[in-house]
Amino acid sequence: MKNSDRWQPSKFELKNGHLRASRNPLEVGISSRFVVDLVAAYYELHLRDHVKGKLIDLGCGKVPLYDAYKAYITECTCTDWANTKHTNPYVDQTCDLNDPLPFATESFHTVILSDVLEHIAKPDQLWLEMYRILKPGGKVILNVPFLYKLHEVPHDYFRYSKYALQNFATGSGFKIILLQEIGGLPEVITDLVSKLVSSIPIVGKVGAMLIQETNSFLLRTKPGKSLSLKTRDLYPLGYFVVAAK
């Protein structure tokens, strides 16, 4: 990874040994902290078991997960496309993920694809390319939104159900290790309401934080956990996937 010695946290940060959304509003808007915290928890839980060796971070942006996976890898290659809205001081290779990837077959042990697949106009090809560049036994680790707002428009093309993700993975030759919903109806409502409230002048941002903190507490209670689990099959906020070659 270029300029790894100058890397700084962006979307995610480590706090007391735990991965969470950045509290810098220039990196993660207050209304989005709740969602990013949820995604961070999945990466924290699963990266240790599935990341190894030579890793490629596709659509890396500011490489927000670097601090979370760097201890488990031997090498990191970062790619992004030339038209990204993010600055790219860490990018090793600029490429369009809709095209064949400029890497040799069986080059990597791990692929990271975080909040990227929804921005790919030709997802079938990318799945085949990820399979091609992974070594036997290598894994792709990714997350995607489902019941979530449009972002980075006009390059926001799809929302995938778990059935679509299953078809992409198995149809490309992968074996699914983990395919799990991120949140359920309470999480979706929390995200929507906090985004709505945050637009209110003067008090909106404080109101959004209070909603998120209150609902985060309630979701840690037994009734909150139960409601989330009962509704996430039909109302997922997003998905987290680990698939192996």
Side-chain angles (χ1 to χ4, degrees):
M1 183 176 82
K2 284 186 178 179
N3 303 309
S4 60
D5 58 324
R6 293 194 279 129
W7 179 87
Q8 295 292 324
S10 52
K11 181 177 180 179
F12 300 106
E13 65 181 18
L14 283 174
K15 181 70 172 179
N16 298 324
H18 294 289
L19 194 66
R20 69 175 192 176
S22 172
R23 268 38 181 182
N24 180 350
L26 297 178
E27 296 293 349
V28 177
I30 290 171
S31 66
S32 296
R33 283 182 186 172
F34 178 77
V35 173
V36 180
D37 276 341
L38 292 174
V39 172
Y42 277 82
Y43 279 105
E44 179 183 341
L45 182 61
H46 296 292
L47 283 178
R48 180 180 304 178
D49 294 331
H50 300 292
V51 168
K52 68 176 184 179
K54 297 177 65 177
L55 177 147
I56 184 166
D57 198 325
L58 296 175
C60 65
K62 297 180 180 180
V63 203
L65 287 166
Y66 181 63
D67 218 17
Y69 61 60
K70 67 181 181 181
Y72 310 121
I73 64 172
T74 58
E75 183 180 318
C76 178
T77 299
C78 295
T79 75
D80 212 343
W81 71 319
N83 295 323
T84 181
K85 294 180 179 180
H86 307 292
T87 57
N88 288 315
Y90 314 117
V91 169
D92 300 294
Q93 178 73 54
T94 299
C95 60
D96 188 336
L97 301 185
N98 294 289
D99 298 330
L101 299 176
F103 303 103
T105 298
E106 298 184 0
S107 296
F108 301 97
H109 298 91
T110 308
V111 170
I112 294 288
L113 192 75
S114 180
D115 287 314
V116 172
L117 191 61
E118 70 271 23
H119 303 295
I120 305 302
K122 300 176 182 178
D124 301 78
Q125 177 160 302
L126 179 57
W127 277 96
L128 291 170
E129 282 293 283
M130 290 191 295
Y131 188 87
R132 181 184 66 81
I133 66 172
L134 276 171
K135 297 178 182 290
K139 295 175 182 176
V140 55
I141 304 166
L142 67 89
N143 73 285
V144 290
F146 187 69
L147 291 174
Y148 192 69
K149 70 172 185 176
L150 292 178
H151 53 285
E152 296 205 29
V153 293
H155 304 292
D156 189 352
Y157 302 114
F158 300 106
R159 293 293 180 269
Y160 299 107
S161 70
K162 66 180 179 182
Y163 308 106
L165 294 169
Q166 286 171 347
N167 285 338
F168 278 131
T170 58
S172 304
F174 286 100
K175 176 184 178 181
I176 295 174
I177 305 299
L178 177 71
L179 173 49
Q180 194 164 349
E181 295 88 355
I182 299 175
L185 191 55
E187 288 87 349
V188 171
I189 292 173
T190 299
D191 177 58
L192 292 174
V193 173
S194 64
K195 281 180 168 54
L196 179 64
V197 169
S198 70
S199 65
I200 299 173
I202 303 175
V203 299
K205 291 185 176 10
V206 173
M209 285 191 289
L210 289 173
I211 289 168
Q212 292 177 8
E213 290 173 3
T214 300
N215 287 6
S216 292
F217 170 78
L218 293 174
L219 284 165
R220 291 193 293 271
T221 66
K222 187 174 181 179
K225 290 178 182 178
S226 177
L227 182 58
S228 177
L229 288 170
K230 286 179 179 178
T231 59
R232 62 181 50 187
D233 187 57
L234 294 179
Y235 301 97
L237 188 55
Y239 293 97
F240 185 85
V241 182
V242 180
K245 180 173 178 177

